[in-house]
């Protein structure tokens, strides 16, 4: 992952002056969606790039050690070896960006990856995911427990109540404590944008999260009614850009929730390239939170290599 974002003292004057032009944001989002996407071998190359940025995720109530094991093995070999060999990519060590699980499954994931001789990081959600409505001490303990079990990345959720009521200092203080509890683990901060109400709130929450030391900001838990949308992404990446220009510190971006098709992953990559530049096109600064996206990317790569789409039994289960 990238160098850590050390954060800064909260600048309430900067936060209070924020105004977002909604019409301009919507217009820019439309432009991004109408970008002409790469075709043929260039598209295949971009799709492999997308694979390396996926946080392969399972966050279900029925998660067991066996399906976490399967998820990890898929993350280590996300595209079938024969397809990669046909593309001359079989010796590149292609993996996803990380695997993402609940805190109670971190130990299972770490054990599986260690047995597979893989250095792939394990990310864990924490802090009362997805609602963040548990007492602060419980949320902090959850972070510490996940780190102790071997999580290298922690996806925390903000307390939406504090954002909605404009208690930015209190939100800053909470995130700062989470950052401390993470120790050496990288911290991704989930804003749950579907519950923040306005673009201005999204921008302010992004700024405060970065000031408090977040290494990534993430759109959603995937459990809200509205998840990763392009307009919200524009607002968040512009906040990342402003923070970088002001402090010199690069913060990553992770859209999550509802990203299911290979085509969508290409649009997300185009958005990052146009808004933040090539440096944000790597797993150090960009992740796609997804559970079913990889299966569609595999289908498209299979089609590129063979000229036809696979039958269901021809690709291993994600």
């Amino acid at each position: 992952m990238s160098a850590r974002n050390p954060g800064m003292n909260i600048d309430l004057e900067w936060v209070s002056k924020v105004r977002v032009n909604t019409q301009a944001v919507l217009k820019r989002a439309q432009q991004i969606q109408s970008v002409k996407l790469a075709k043929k071998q260039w598209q295949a190359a971009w799709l492999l790039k997308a694979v390396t940025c996926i946080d392969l995720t399972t966050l279900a109530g029925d998660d067991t050690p066996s399906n976490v094991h399967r998820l990890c093995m898929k993350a280590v070999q996300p595209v079938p070896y024969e397809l990669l060999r046909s593309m001359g990519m079989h010796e590149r060590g292609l993996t996803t960006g990380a695997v993402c699980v609940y805190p109670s499954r971190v130990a299972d994931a770490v054990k599986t990856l260690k047995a597979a001789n893989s250095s792939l990081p394990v990310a864990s959600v924490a802090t009362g995911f997805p609602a963040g409505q548990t007492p602060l001490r419980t949320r902090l303990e959850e972070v510490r427990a996940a780190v102790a079990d071997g999580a290298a990345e922690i996806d925390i959720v903000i307390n939406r109540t504090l954002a909605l009521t404009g208690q930015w200092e209190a939100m800053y203080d909470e995130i700062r404590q989470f950052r401390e509890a993470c120790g050496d683990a990288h911290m991704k901060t989930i804003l749950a944008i579907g519950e923040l109400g306005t673009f201005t709130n999204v921008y302010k929450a992004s700024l405060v999260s970065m000031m408090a030391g977040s290494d990534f900001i993430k759109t959603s838990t995937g459990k809200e009614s509205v998840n990763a949308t392009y307009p919200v992404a524009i607002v968040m990446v512009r906040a990342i850009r402003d923070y970088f220009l002001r402090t010199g510190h690069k913060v990553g971006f992770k859209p999550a929730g509802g990203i299911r098709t290979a085509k969508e992953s290409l649009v997300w990559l185009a958005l990052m390239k146009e808004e933040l530049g090539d440096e944000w096109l790597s797993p150090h600064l960009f992740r796609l939170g997804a559970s079913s996206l990889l299966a569609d990317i595999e289908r498209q790569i299979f089609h590129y290599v063979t000229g036809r789409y696979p039958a269901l039994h021809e690709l291993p289960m994600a």
Side-chain angles (χ1 to χ4, degrees):
M1 253 207 172
S2 60
R4 303 292 298 272
N5 166 31
M8 58 183 277
N9 292 329
I10 188 167
D11 184 341
L12 287 172
E13 188 184 354
W14 184 5
V15 175
S16 68
K17 283 181 177 173
V18 168
R19 298 290 180 275
V20 176
N21 182 335
T22 299
Q23 290 310 310
V25 168
L26 295 175
K27 187 177 178 185
R28 179 67 181 129
Q30 273 187 320
Q31 288 172 343
I32 288 286
Q33 288 173 82
S34 60
V35 163
K36 201 170 179 193
L37 300 173
K39 300 291 183 193
K40 300 181 181 174
Q41 69 264 41
W42 296 280
Q43 184 182 90
W46 278 101
L47 289 176
L48 291 181
K49 165 67 77 178
V51 169
T52 66
C53 295
I54 292 175
D55 276 359
L56 198 59
T57 302
T58 182
L59 295 169
D62 57 0
D63 283 343
T64 60
S66 61
N67 75 318
V68 168
H69 173 84
R70 192 175 72 202
L71 183 90
C72 291
M73 298 316 290
K74 187 66 184 166
V76 171
Q77 180 72 62
V79 179
Y81 180 81
E82 290 303 316
L83 294 181
L84 290 178
R85 194 170 69 177
S86 300
M87 301 167 75
M89 294 292 291
H90 56 296
E91 292 177 344
R92 295 296 182 93
L94 187 91
T95 66
T96 64
V99 293
C100 184
V101 295
Y102 274 121
S104 56
R105 300 269 71 90
V106 168
D108 297 331
V110 169
K111 182 180 169 188
T112 297
L113 291 168
K114 195 174 179 185
N117 202 21
S118 171
S119 58
L120 196 70
V122 174
S124 170
V125 296
T127 68
F129 178 95
Q133 292 280 19
T134 47
L136 179 59
R137 66 178 180 278
T138 311
R139 285 179 280 154
L140 287 165
E141 192 48 51
E142 196 175 26
V143 173
R144 293 188 195 105
V147 172
D149 279 348
E153 302 173 9
I154 303 292
D155 289 30
I156 66 152
V157 291
I158 65 165
N159 181 337
R160 272 79 97 193
T161 306
L162 298 178
L164 288 167
T165 53
Q167 298 179 66
W168 300 113
E169 270 184 290
M171 184 177 134
Y172 173 90
D173 290 339
E174 276 199 0
I175 298 172
R176 207 77 184 131
Q177 289 180 65
F178 296 147
R179 166 70 198 251
E180 211 172 292
C182 284
D184 291 333
H186 280 73
M187 184 173 80
K188 305 194 204 93
T189 300
I190 305 170
L191 304 185
I193 53 88
E195 295 172 353
L196 289 184
T198 66
F199 286 150
T200 298
N201 259 355
V202 169
Y203 191 104
K204 288 181 176 181
S206 300
L207 268 189
V208 171
S209 299
M210 291 185 286
M211 289 172 181
S214 305
D215 299 299
F216 266 68
I217 52 175
K218 176 178 169 182
T219 58
S220 327
T221 63
K223 311 288 186 186
E224 297 97 49
S225 55
V226 177
N227 294 294
T229 67
Y230 301 118
V232 158
I234 298 291
V235 173
M236 291 175 69
V237 298
R238 293 282 171 97
I240 288 171
R241 190 163 73 188
D242 290 347
Y243 182 80
F244 171 63
L245 292 172
R246 180 82 68 104
T247 67
H249 299 301
K250 292 171 184 154
V251 174
F253 176 63
K254 178 179 173 181
I259 304 169
R260 295 189 178 90
T261 68
K263 185 180 176 185
E264 285 173 278
S265 72
L266 295 175
V267 176
W268 283 108
L269 286 168
L271 185 151
M272 297 307 288
K273 183 176 173 65
E274 291 203 5
E275 288 288 326
L276 291 171
D278 289 352
E279 219 173 328
W280 268 266
L281 287 176
S282 79
H284 299 304
L285 289 168
F286 179 60
R287 297 287 179 82
L288 287 157
S291 49
S292 57
L293 169 63
L294 181 57
D296 192 52
I297 291 179
E298 272 189 282
R299 284 182 73 245
Q300 302 305 329
I301 290 172
F302 188 100
H303 182 272
Y304 165 72
V305 170
T306 67
R308 65 179 179 84
Y309 284 107
L312 283 174
H313 66 273
E314 289 182 283
L315 290 178
M317 285 167 67

